[in-house]
Amino acid sequence: MRVVLGSDQDGMKLKEYIKENLIKEGHEVVDKSEQPAKDFVESTLAVAQDLLANDQSLGVAFDGYGAGSFMTATKVKGMVAAEVSDERTAYMTREHNNSRMITLGAKIVGPELAMNITREFLSADYDGGRHQVRVDMLNKMA
């Protein structure tokens, strides 16, 4: 799986931990923040733009609390994202909402939980069907 990551200064240590583990697990990792972005807006937009250009990719944006990256991602037309702090929500947002990106707060979740969240998000497949009506509505919004 191709996974796109981006982070500001607050999320950098957690992003590096996730990146290292994803690579070990055999994922193709695209790091949009080799150096921390000055602001979460910059790093989140870089992830979102990459995802919109690469349909088969999923992404994770990191900042201090996850909320800033979430707010940024949802301003991008066609981007469905979720702020996540547990494994079940990560899985379900992908399965039912076709989320392409999750946002994680390094001051909210620790490394092990963040890795489990990321694994669950990446392991889920979008169900489509009855959920597509909602996804279509979300994709029309900016």
Side-chain angles (χ1 to χ4, degrees), residues 21-118:
N21 282 281
L22 289 175
I23 291 169
K24 284 180 187 175
E25 293 177 5
H27 295 282
E28 175 189 351
V29 175
V30 177
D31 188 348
K32 293 295 187 175
S33 303
E34 291 287 339
Q35 297 297 315
K38 292 179 184 175
D39 193 275
F40 60 76
V41 174
E42 178 185 351
S43 54
T44 304
L45 285 176
V47 173
Q49 290 165 349
D50 187 292
L51 294 178
L52 291 174
N54 296 283
D55 288 345
Q56 300 304 313
S57 299
L58 297 176
V60 184
F62 301 85
D63 64 27
Y65 298 98
S69 293
F70 169 74
M71 290 185 283
T72 302
T74 59
K75 299 290 184 193
V76 177
K77 187 167 182 62
M79 181 52 53
V80 179
E83 179 184 353
V84 182
S85 57
D86 68 276
E87 296 97 328
R88 183 70 177 155
T89 303
Y91 187 89
M92 294 306 292
T93 195
R94 178 80 189 115
E95 186 176 74
H96 285 191
N97 303 320
N98 199 23
S99 292
R100 302 274 316 285
M101 181 192 307
I102 58 171
T103 66
L104 295 173
K107 296 179 182 179
I108 302 296
V109 297
E112 288 181 36
L113 177 56
M115 193 64 227
N116 290 338
I117 288 169
T118 302

